[in-house]
Amino acid sequence: MTLRIRFGCALFCLLASRLCSAFYLPGLAPVSFCENGKGTEDCQTLIQLFVNRLDSVESVLPYEYDVFDFCKDEEERRPSENLGQVLFGERIESSPYKFNFNEEVKCKKVCQKKYAKDSQQDATKLDFLKMGMQLNYQHHWIVDNMPVTWCYDVEDNQKYCNPGFPIGCLVGDDGRPKDACVINSDFHKKSTFYVFNHVDLKITYHNGDKDGWRGARLVAATMEPKSIEHTDEQKLDCEKATPMEIPVKFENDVQIIYTYSVTFVENTEIKWASRWDYILVSMPHTNIQWFSIMNSLVIVLFLSGMVAMIMLRTLHKDIARYNQVDQADLIKLPSAKEKSLAYEDAQEESGWKQVHGDVFRPPRKGMLLSVFVGQGTQIFIMTFITLFLACLGFLSPANRGALMTCSVVLWVLLGTPAGYVSARLYKTFGGEKWKSNVLLTALLCPGVVFADFFLMNLILWVEGSSAAIPFGTLVAILALWFGISVPLTFVGAYFGFKKPPIEQPVRTNQIPRQIPEQSFFTKPIPGIVMGGILPFGCIFIQLFFILNSIWSHQMYYMFGFLFLVFIILLITCSEATILLCYFHLCAEDYHWWWRSFLTSGFTAVYLFVYAVHYFYSKLQIIGAASTILYFGYTMIMVLIFFLFTGTIGFFACFWFVNKIYSVVKVD
């Protein structure tokens, strides 16, 4: 089943709804576990639980596990992290939760934390813990590279498995339980925090003796958080119903004892290759995704019909009429004046033919346009390769940080196409400042993104967040940029300037033609504003899930759907830009260079508007720092999307204009 889905996704991504079972490709090898005393080099006995950063849907600021004063591992160690994990702010470290395979543990003490009311340091630690509970910060635990999930029932008797669980909850002054406090009726005391200091872990494994390999492989790890007040650390009772209360006002000493229990369950049906299915399938998105695809396909069919009608009927007839006065007919005409009038009569059938002498006139600020198109080409190729690899399963959630790492590495290595396209286009515009062109291509847009990213990182440093990028990583990013990407951009620009300018199908007149007064709909701004509506309509549902994965900390795994939407967006941007370009040319407005880029690029403005709507309607983010971070990172997304969509529209319109004027006979 898994191999068939992989193959199907490689051919076409309509099988993406089952893509979650195609995750495990070379590089993610399974680990076998054996009972204590039977371990070997290829079969481990000890199961190590790792902890990741804590995050919240009410704050953009994630924090490391140690900041909340939880139990620490005496032999603290961090697994190696790739570039993507560092950029995403993941901080995985070992924890004191360690147990042997298939050995059940009942109510084992992990550590004990005491907070004295007379200690300012203890008061600060406890206040920070309370802040985490008030903002609903979530634990993220990992066992065998698999998230420990908290599964509970939701609407319509469906089970939702959350790859995280809260550190505690708060019952407000009005006595109403908030967030996770609703799971227990004992959480009812006003102005009280309840900390989840006990977890019941359940490890599900698949025994390999029947399948021909030694040991067992873990296929699921679930847990249930509990709040239990332990009064005597020598006599721990994890079945006790009394919850662990922490009053809002710190008036008495507080003691928190952290405990856990572990049970093991054998399962012969779940295979190791599909062990993420119970997490991903529980997210009820598939039906909505198919609705998104059908909605997008309707828009594409509508645009395709419009373009086909123009190309096959209107344009075909225009060109036929324009070229119908051939040389034999002209010979029969008595005078040169009548011959000229015959051509003019043919030309008057449509306005787009009358601007053939000005349609390829170089635009204003051609340097900036060529830089934008070059950068957009780099982003387009990077996006296509990244989504294709993700569709094959190489960049799945199981391979942590791989998506961001792949994107950054591809962007660095694709400097050559950016320099080549920018230089070739700039030379076609007649530009001669090649040094400025290549420097702007290599530094302008990446510099804006890096400056925004650096400012956001300063805020994270000030707030002490785990998402703050270490100084060494920033230096490494700059080294990749200036050491690899910039030289490759120069190489591409060198070959681009060595090539001759792109040959245009018609000559450009020396004197510009006067543009007649335009109607409201053929003016530049209304056309640009209308041009981004249909492309945005194809992606807004998919955009909702992407924003959820970024800001609501949900897993995004339907890369097959995303790749299909990427193709639909490519077609929609191209067709919408071609349609509007044709209408403007018919109105004898030949300024299409910038308009073709801005028409589809305006989709990014709608993306920003939707991000603002998402912030106020879907998120519960509070605090000035979190708000600035949200909109700061959103602006990076908007700029990248603007270059991406604008480049698609530019090349589509460039091909269209060259095509229609290349088949027209111009005397």
Side-chain angles (χ1 to χ4, degrees):
M1 175 66 72
T2 302
L3 291 176
R4 186 169 71 249
I5 294 177
R6 289 181 192 162
F7 181 72
C9 183
L11 293 177
F12 199 68
C13 294
L14 286 177
L15 296 178
S17 61
R18 301 171 63 187
L19 189 61
C20 53
S21 60
F23 279 147
Y24 298 95
L25 296 176
L28 293 174
V31 178
S32 298
F33 293 91
C34 297
E35 296 181 5
N36 193 16
K38 301 180 181 179
T40 59
E41 292 183 358
D42 59 344
C43 191
Q44 301 179 13
T45 59
L46 182 67
I47 298 178
Q48 171 73 64
L49 190 147
F50 289 89
V51 292
N52 202 343
R53 65 177 186 175
L54 286 85
D55 52 36
S56 169
V57 294
E58 299 181 25
S59 174
V60 179
L61 302 169
Y63 291 100
E64 291 196 49
Y65 182 81
D66 294 342
V67 176
F68 288 94
D69 196 35
F70 294 127
C71 302
K72 297 182 180 180
D73 186 16
E74 296 179 357
E75 302 176 357
E76 184 176 346
R77 61 186 179 89
R78 293 180 181 270
S80 59
E81 297 174 342
N82 56 42
L83 180 61
Q85 288 177 288
V86 176
L87 292 177
F88 271 127
E90 291 196 19
R91 296 292 184 267
I92 301 175
E93 58 187 76
S94 58
S95 75
Y97 296 88
K98 303 174 184 177
F99 39 88
N100 291 323
F101 173 74
N102 217 14
E103 287 186 9
E104 295 193 356
V105 178
K106 290 187 178 180
C107 203
K108 182 177 180 179
K109 176 184 173 183
V110 183
C111 72
Q112 179 179 345
K113 296 291 182 179
K114 294 182 179 181
Y115 304 94
K117 64 177 181 178
D118 300 329
S119 173
Q120 183 61 38
Q121 185 178 5
D122 289 349
T124 303
K125 292 180 180 178
L126 194 60
D127 286 342
F128 198 82
L129 182 64
K130 292 178 183 177
M131 182 276 295
M133 289 186 280
Q134 187 172 4
L135 294 179
N136 194 28
Y137 270 83
Q138 305 268 322
H139 284 282
H140 294 282
W141 290 1
I142 302 168
V143 169
D144 190 29
N145 196 40
M146 184 173 54
V148 179
T149 58
W150 176 31
C151 297
Y152 51 89
D153 294 330
V154 291
E155 298 177 355
D156 300 328
N157 295 323
Q158 291 184 341
K159 180 165 285 189
Y160 176 72
C161 291
N162 184 19
F165 65 95
I167 63 177
C169 60
L170 168 67
V171 175
D173 297 337
D174 54 0
R176 297 172 114 185
K178 298 181 179 179
D179 300 319
C181 280
V182 298
I183 66 174
N184 195 328
S185 59
D186 294 330
F187 299 160
H188 53 75
K189 194 172 182 180
K190 295 182 180 180
S191 304
T192 303
F193 290 95
Y194 294 91
V195 60
F196 292 130
N197 59 328
H198 175 82
V199 291
D200 286 330
L201 292 166
K202 184 172 77 171
I203 308 297
T204 306
Y205 64 93
H206 181 87
N207 201 326
D209 294 337
K210 299 179 181 179
D211 297 331
W213 42 268
R214 185 170 178 268
R217 293 174 181 173
L218 307 187
V219 294
T222 58
M223 55 79 60
E224 182 181 355
K226 293 182 178 180
S227 178
I228 301 174
E229 183 179 8
H230 299 291
T231 55
D232 187 357
E233 60 178 309
Q234 302 299 327
K235 298 180 180 178
L236 299 175
D237 183 10
C238 294
E239 303 298 327
K240 194 174 182 181
T242 306
M244 181 66 213
E245 300 177 359
I246 301 178
V248 173
K249 294 183 179 180
F250 188 23
E251 298 176 345
N252 299 308
D253 294 348
V254 175
Q255 173 181 284
I256 304 176
I257 299 177
Y258 291 91
T259 57
Y260 72 98
S261 301
V262 182
T263 58
F264 289 85
V265 177
E266 182 179 0
N267 189 302
T268 58
E269 296 180 358
I270 303 177
K271 303 297 182 181
W272 185 86
S274 58
R275 62 179 186 165
W276 282 66
D277 287 8
Y278 82 98
I279 305 172
L280 304 177
V281 174
S282 67
M283 301 179 183
H285 297 339
T286 306
N287 292 334
I288 301 176
Q289 296 278 8
W290 280 117
F291 171 76
S292 169
I293 297 298
M294 296 304 297
N295 170 68
S296 302
L297 287 176
V298 169
I299 296 176
V300 168
L301 290 175
F302 167 74
L303 284 174
S304 299
M306 293 284 289
V307 172
M309 183 178 66
I310 289 176
M311 297 291 287
L312 298 179
R313 298 187 60 186
T314 309
L315 268 177
H316 180 73
K317 291 180 180 179
D318 286 347
I319 294 170
R321 290 194 190 102
Y322 188 79
N323 295 331
Q324 68 184 352
V325 184
D326 56 18
Q327 202 65 26
D329 296 329
L330 289 176
I331 294 175
K332 300 176 183 178
L333 296 176
S335 66
K337 184 177 181 180
E338 291 180 348
K339 295 177 183 179
S340 177
L341 290 174
Y343 267 119
E344 290 178 5
D345 291 340
Q347 287 180 338
E348 287 176 359
E349 293 295 330
S350 179
W352 66 269
K353 297 187 294 295
Q354 299 184 26
V355 295
H356 64 79
D358 298 273
V359 72
F360 291 105
R361 189 176 302 280
R364 297 176 182 176
K365 301 188 183 300
M367 169 85 78
L368 186 61
L369 179 60
S370 63
V371 169
F372 281 175
V373 173
Q375 280 291 322
T377 304
Q378 186 177 12
I379 294 171
F380 173 81
I381 300 174
M382 176 201 73
T383 305
F384 177 81
I385 298 176
T386 301
L387 288 180
F388 184 74
L389 293 176
C391 186
L392 294 178
F394 285 101
L395 309 179
S396 70
N399 196 358
R400 302 176 187 278
L403 184 67
M404 179 60 75
T405 303
C406 179
S407 300
V408 172
V409 171
L410 284 173
W411 180 85
V412 168
L413 297 177
L414 290 170
T416 302
Y420 179 84
V421 170
S422 178
R424 189 86 190 277
L425 190 60
Y426 181 62
K427 190 173 183 179
T428 302
F429 292 157
E432 298 178 353
K433 300 179 180 178
W434 65 270
K435 294 180 181 179
S436 300
N437 175 262
V438 67
L439 285 174
L440 286 174
T441 304
L443 302 177
L444 179 60
C445 296
V448 173
V449 172
F450 184 82
D452 190 331
F453 183 77
F454 183 76
L455 290 175
M456 298 303 103
N457 205 51
L458 285 178
I459 297 176
L460 294 171
W461 274 339
V462 172
E463 297 291 334
S465 172
S466 65
I469 308 302
F471 180 76
T473 304
L474 288 177
V475 173
I477 293 174
L478 288 174
L480 290 172
W481 179 14
F482 288 98
I484 300 177
S485 180
V486 172
L488 289 176
T489 305
F490 273 81
V491 171
Y494 171 77
F495 287 105
F497 278 111
K498 284 194 67 177
K499 289 280 188 178
I502 301 173
E503 186 178 354
Q504 310 297 359
V506 291
R507 293 192 304 269
T508 301
N509 298 333
Q510 293 183 353
I511 301 176
R513 179 188 178 91
Q514 184 176 1
I515 300 175
E517 185 177 353
Q518 302 292 302
S519 65
F520 175 78
F521 292 103
T522 56
K523 289 181 179 179
I525 294 180
I528 291 171
V529 172
M530 290 186 297
I533 295 177
L534 291 178
F536 178 76
C538 294
I539 65 167
F540 80 96
I541 296 179
Q542 200 69 223
L543 183 62
F544 172 77
F545 295 112
I546 294 175
L547 293 178
N548 271 349
S549 68
I550 297 174
W551 304 113
S552 296
H553 314 293
Q554 297 182 10
M555 288 188 179
Y556 189 91
Y557 67 98
M558 293 187 176
F559 293 109
F561 280 115
L562 186 60
F563 188 80
L564 188 57
V565 170
F566 168 82
I567 300 299
I568 292 174
L569 176 65
L570 175 66
I571 298 172
T572 309
C573 285
S574 302
E575 293 181 342
T577 308
I578 288 173
L579 277 174
L580 290 171
C581 179
Y582 174 74
F583 294 149
H584 289 122
L585 290 176
C586 287
E588 300 181 30
D589 186 353
Y590 51 83
H591 295 306
W592 64 273
W593 295 99
W594 269 108
R595 191 173 296 168
S596 63
F597 189 91
L598 296 176
T599 297
S600 55
F602 201 80
T603 310
V605 177
Y606 291 107
L607 185 150
F608 178 75
V609 173
Y610 184 82
V612 174
H613 166 73
Y614 181 85
F615 178 81
Y616 288 105
S617 64
K618 302 296 181 181
L619 297 181
Q620 304 170 352
I621 291 177
I622 57 177
S626 294
T627 303
I628 294 173
L629 287 168
Y630 175 86
F631 286 103
Y633 287 126
T634 298
M635 291 308 298
I636 295 178
M637 295 171 52
V638 169
L639 175 59
I640 293 174
F641 195 72
F642 169 73
L643 296 173
F644 168 72
T645 53
T647 301
I648 294 173
F650 176 85
F651 280 118
C653 196
F654 185 78
W655 170 85
F656 172 75
V657 173
N658 273 270
K659 191 70 175 176
I660 63 174
Y661 284 98
S662 64
V663 296
V664 170
K665 295 179 182 178
V666 179
D667 192 14

